[in-house]
Amino acid sequence: MEVTQEELKQAKKEVSKLTVLLNKTLKWFPKIKGMLNLESFCFTVGFNQE
């Protein structure tokens, strides 16, 4: 499967938009970063979605 230049450009643009949105979210709600890290830690030690 070959990725065209246009698809690559579009994907980079979407990632850029998501990065801006994430940065805004972290600015508005700084505790979210810790919550995301806690979720990752819980999965690492064996907890699941249940």
Side-chain angles (χ1 to χ4, degrees):
M1 183 173 145
E2 191 174 316
V3 179
T4 65
Q5 290 294 327
E6 186 62 33
E7 290 173 325
L8 186 58
K9 186 177 178 181
Q10 186 176 4
K12 285 182 179 183
K13 188 174 181 180
E14 187 173 340
V15 168
S16 178
K17 286 181 182 179
L18 291 172
T19 301
V20 168
L21 180 61
L22 179 59
N23 287 336
K24 284 183 182 180
T25 303
L26 291 174
K27 184 178 178 183
W28 294 333
F29 306 101
K31 291 186 179 184
I32 286 180
K33 187 173 183 179
M35 293 167 78
L36 293 173
N37 289 337
L38 181 60
E39 180 183 20
S40 174
F41 174 75
C42 289
F43 287 136
T44 301
V45 296
F47 289 97
N48 58 24
Q49 292 286 6
E50 296 176 15

